[in-house]
Amino acid sequence: MRIISFNANGLRSAANKGFFDWFRTQDADVLCVQETKAQEHQLAGPQFLPEGYRAWFKDAITKKGYSGVAIYSRREPDEVRTSMGWAPFDDEGRYIEARFGNLSVVSFYIPSGSSGELRQGFKFEVMEWLKPHLDQWLASGRDYVLCGDWNIVRSKLDIRNWTSNQKNSGCLPPEREWLNGLCVDTSGWVDAYRALHAEGQDYTWWSNRGAARANNVGWRIDYQLCTPSLASKLKACSILREPRFSDHAPFTVDYDE
């Protein structure tokens, strides 16, 4: 089973840059998108829906052209969920879950706090609220793959400029402690990339400022976190730096079925 996670930073923009042309060649079972930055009706044309796939969306209702998540799948899910029960999070279009038998695939978009104290405060609120939900999912007996942009690095291996970013959102010690706490030992969530590349130093996002992408001054903030039940099924993963469809790179993971 091949699952791709991709923060599009505007799915119409990514499509214009050839994203769906690339996607059609990938033989993916599921695609999780973050930051669609559109309403569902704006993504209804054939240029946004490769043959053989169906798509489900959760748009932001707080403001148009903001946030938004989607799941594309070749197989019809048994159920699609778009609400976790907390309006400040749900209404920004940050969660969608497709259920296939005992497997849940989630597209998550965790808030960024980089715009200032107000949004950083909201990010910490989301983290605190989300933790018990993730604990519950972990204990549920279901298989989960949590895809998405978490806007947090885990360690020095996940960011080029570690020291200079210690006071910046996404690399703050409390954020890293929270994410690493989710992935603790063998009983927590499994970071697919890190499980396959214990010492890997690949990135999934680069600032648009300067020549960050050209110089590979990046951050690894896009993840697929899976339940321990799927750890033995991890086969391979890849991060597509080029061609460039967004400031984020598509992140692909192959799982044994």
Side-chain angles (χ1 to χ4, degrees), residues 131-162:
K131 175 69 161 63
H133 288 274
L134 298 182
D135 290 345
Q136 186 179 4
W137 290 355
L138 201 57
S140 69
R142 289 187 63 79
D143 297 327
Y144 276 87
V145 178
L146 311 181
C147 296
D149 176 3
W150 292 68
N151 271 308
I152 302 170
V153 299
R154 291 192 59 198
S155 75
K156 195 173 184 176
L157 293 174
D158 302 313
I159 183 169
R160 172 61 67 87
N161 292 331
W162 168 258

Side-chain angles (χ1 to χ4, degrees), residues 18-115:
F19 171 72
F20 283 110
D21 296 330
W22 170 81
F23 176 71
R24 286 182 181 91
T25 69
Q26 296 308 296
D27 193 28
D29 295 284
V30 182
L31 165 67
C32 292
V33 180
Q34 304 86 42
E35 277 205 283
T36 58
K37 289 189 172 181
Q39 305 304 113
E40 183 174 349
H41 71 272
Q42 295 173 304
L43 301 169
Q47 69 270 37
F48 302 114
L49 189 65
E51 187 176 351
Y53 290 88
R54 287 196 60 197
W56 294 263
F57 299 87
K58 173 60 176 177
D59 302 336
I61 62 173
T62 49
K63 54 182 174 180
K64 292 182 178 178
Y66 175 72
S67 193
V69 289
I71 288 180
Y72 288 69
S73 176
R74 287 200 288 212
R75 178 178 154 192
E76 181 91 15
D78 302 319
E79 181 185 357
V80 175
R81 299 183 175 188
T82 58
S83 172
M84 292 186 68
W86 187 42
F89 185 78
D90 291 335
D91 291 353
E92 289 192 357
R94 295 185 176 278
Y95 156 81
I96 187 169
E97 174 182 342
R99 295 189 153 209
F100 308 90
N102 196 51
L103 171 67
S104 284
V105 180
V106 176
S107 185
F108 258 145
Y109 180 38
I110 306 302
S112 168
S114 59
S115 64

